């Protein structure tokens, strides 16, 4: 009897420990995403990744609140603050968000003591955030179950790295400036930044790089058959290259600063000393319209709106319906949500 008691005293803690360990492992395991998962559009990511739509919700960095993380419906109803994290390069898939966090809060008195910069994952409610890699990262993108991101170091410069969404399998792919924003069919499309500005692809399965178009390519965005880009050698005019016919089409002779391909439209900032303007055209270059005169940046889109702000002036944020007549208004729902959040925190 005494022997049985001793055995139980040893066995029960071991079983409990094993059960606790298993539960802890399973609860922290990140479910795999379906094949072909893309965390955000290349156009949004090339414009800071401040808005990201997934599964009927829009996650965004609220410029009225120091780019804190918020969520809303695509029609801008039910706007809620999720966290104080200052975010950019937003990606979403499954139950999680992936983003670059600059700081935890603008009012964080300890920010100089404890660095919070890095590549992060959190639940879609903004909770349970995990730092996947503590590193300055100008750009990141989710493909399937891997985060591809730029890593900057004063010693080695900018490198392209990868890490799995569960924080495993970290790898530095290339010690070279590669923007991972534009991904399609297991390939990252990027413009050369060294000896040439050709259009390259990086195979996400093998890490092999190949030049596919000997043009002067800047900020490429792949969408279906076409790669849209700014033509460096022709004063940054907008063109598209067909992956099927290997031909180039000139979409506008305007000089561009920024652009975003979204749905049937291309929204772009025309660079002109006398008549700068945010404009839009169809993806074939027809239907040119002025959206707003002036100089704008951070052109992000959702299924219903296109968002932007005046250059070097984070707020107010403006929007216009993605489709239909141009109707520029301030994104007032974001400012109202901030006021409501501040009021609730004081009660």
């Amino acid at each position: 009897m005494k022997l049985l008691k001793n055995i139980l005293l040893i066995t029960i803690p071991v079983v409990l420990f094993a059960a606790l360990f298993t539960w802890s492992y399973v609860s922290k395991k990140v479910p795999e995403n379906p094949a072909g998962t893309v965390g955000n559009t290349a156009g949004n990511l090339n414009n800071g990744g401040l808005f990201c739509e997934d599964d009927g919700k829009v996650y965004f960095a609220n410029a009225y609140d120091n780019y804190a993380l918020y969520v809303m419906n695509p029609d801008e109803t039910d706007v809620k603050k999720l966290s104080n994290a200052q975010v950019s390069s937003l990606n979403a898939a499954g139950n999680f968000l992936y983003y670059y966090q600059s700081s935890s809060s603008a009012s964080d008195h300890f920010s100089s003591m404890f660095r919070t910069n890095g590549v992060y994952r959190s639940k879609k409610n903004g909770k349970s955030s995990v730092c996947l890699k503590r590193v300055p990262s100008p750009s990141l993108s989710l493909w399937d179950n891997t985060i591809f991101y730029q890593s900057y170091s004063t010693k080695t410069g900018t490198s392209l790295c990868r890490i799995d969404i569960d924080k495993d399998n970290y790898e530095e792919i290339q010690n070279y400036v590669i923007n991972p924003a534009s991904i399609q069919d297991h390939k990252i499309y990027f413009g050369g930044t060294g000896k040439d500005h050709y259009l390259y692809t990086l195979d996400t399965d093998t890490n092999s790089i190949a030049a596919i178009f000997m043009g002067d390519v800047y900020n490429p965005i792949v969408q279906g058959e076409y790669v849209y880009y700014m033509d460096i050698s022709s004063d940054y005019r907008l063109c598209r290259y067909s992956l099927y016919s290997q031909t180039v089409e000139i979409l506008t002779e305007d000089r561009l600063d920024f652009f975003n391909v979204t749905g049937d439209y291309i929204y772009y900032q025309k660079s002109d000393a006398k008549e700068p303007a945010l404009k839009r055209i169809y993806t074939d270059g027809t239907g040119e319209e002025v959206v707003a005169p002036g100089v704008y940046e951070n052109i992000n889109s959702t299924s219903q709106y296109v968002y932007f702000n005046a250059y070097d002036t984070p707020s107010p944020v403006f929007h216009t319906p993605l489709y239909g007549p141009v109707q520029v208004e301030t994104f007032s729902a974001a400012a109202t949500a901030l006021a409501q959040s501040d009021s609730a925190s004081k009660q």
Side-chain angles (χ1 to χ4, degrees):
M1 192 68 174
K2 185 176 181 181
L3 177 61
L4 178 60
K5 184 177 181 181
N6 289 337
I7 292 173
L8 290 173
L9 288 174
I10 296 172
T11 304
I12 291 175
V14 171
V15 171
L16 289 174
F17 177 80
L20 182 62
F21 178 83
T22 302
W23 175 84
S24 177
Y25 175 80
V26 172
S27 64
K28 293 180 181 179
K29 189 68 176 175
V30 180
E32 289 192 352
N33 295 315
T37 293
V38 178
N40 200 348
T41 66
N44 282 355
L45 293 173
N46 277 345
N47 286 274
L50 303 180
F51 289 76
C52 179
E53 185 169 349
D54 184 63
D55 197 24
K57 292 292 182 181
V58 173
Y59 303 90
F60 68 100
N62 192 346
Y64 293 95
D65 192 10
N66 196 43
Y67 297 102
L69 181 61
Y70 279 64
V71 65
M72 65 180 175
N73 294 324
D75 63 359
E76 299 181 351
T77 58
D78 197 23
V79 185
K80 296 178 181 177
K81 184 173 184 176
L82 297 179
S83 78
N84 286 320
Q86 184 179 343
V87 300
S88 59
S89 293
L90 281 163
N91 287 255
N95 298 320
F96 295 93
L97 300 175
Y98 306 87
Y99 49 84
Y100 178 68
Q101 179 174 309
S102 305
S103 68
S104 58
S105 172
S107 60
D108 187 354
H109 300 294
F110 302 101
S111 59
S112 60
M113 298 172 58
F114 303 102
R115 289 192 307 117
T116 60
N117 296 22
V119 178
Y120 277 75
R121 181 193 75 224
S122 76
K123 291 184 178 179
K124 282 185 172 177
N125 60 7
K127 301 184 183 301
S128 304
S129 64
V130 175
C131 182
L132 302 180
K133 206 69 177 179
R134 197 171 299 284
V135 62
S137 179
S139 178
L140 67 91
S141 183
L142 169 69
W143 170 258
D144 282 356
N145 300 292
T146 303
I147 299 291
F148 293 89
Y149 66 95
Q150 290 180 331
S151 174
Y152 176 75
S153 167
T154 55
K155 293 182 179 180
T156 61
T158 302
S159 301
L160 180 67
C161 301
R162 61 189 294 165
I163 191 168
D164 288 351
I165 57 176
D166 60 3
K167 207 176 178 179
D168 289 338
N169 300 318
Y170 163 79
E171 179 184 5
E172 181 179 320
I173 301 173
Q174 293 283 335
N175 184 220
Y176 182 72
V177 180
I178 296 176
N179 180 359
S182 191
I183 305 179
Q184 180 174 282
D185 297 332
H186 298 268
K187 288 182 173 62
I188 296 174
Y189 291 76
F190 66 97
T193 55
K195 60 182 181 180
D196 59 59
H197 298 286
Y198 296 165
L199 177 64
Y200 289 88
T201 60
L202 183 145
D203 191 306
T204 60
D205 296 325
T206 64
N207 292 344
S208 60
I209 293 177
I212 63 171
F213 169 51
M214 282 63 173
D216 265 345
V217 175
Y218 182 68
N219 265 10
I221 294 176
V222 60
Q223 183 170 288
E225 172 189 352
Y226 295 103
V227 179
Y228 300 83
Y229 66 95
M230 295 159 65
D231 187 350
I232 299 173
S233 60
S234 296
D235 201 29
Y236 293 87
R237 68 186 178 186
L238 184 64
C239 299
R240 69 177 182 181
Y241 171 76
S242 172
L243 297 172
Y244 297 159
S245 64
Q246 288 80 54
T247 56
V248 173
E249 296 175 75
I250 300 169
L251 301 179
T252 178
E253 293 288 354
D254 289 342
R255 176 188 170 94
L256 270 65
D257 287 327
F258 317 100
F259 77 101
N260 191 335
V261 183
T262 174
D264 297 329
Y265 282 106
I266 302 171
Y267 284 76
Y268 69 90
Q269 174 61 42
K270 176 185 176 181
S271 178
D272 187 290
K274 295 181 179 179
E275 295 182 332
L278 180 67
K279 302 174 76 173
R280 75 176 183 183
I281 54 177
Y282 288 111
T283 52
D284 64 359
T286 62
E288 180 181 312
E289 294 180 88
V290 171
V291 176
V295 183
Y296 300 91
E297 64 178 347
N298 296 326
I299 308 168
N300 278 243
S301 70
T302 66
S303 61
Q304 295 194 27
Y305 289 99
V306 174
Y307 299 87
F308 51 94
N309 59 268
Y311 183 76
D312 207 25
T313 307
S315 63
V317 177
F318 302 97
H319 71 199
T320 186
L322 174 58
Y323 294 104
V326 170
Q327 186 177 350
V328 176
E329 298 175 332
T330 57
F331 179 26
S332 57
T336 301
L338 168 60
Q340 292 173 343
S341 175
D342 286 345
S343 177
S345 64
K346 292 175 183 178
Q347 293 179 358

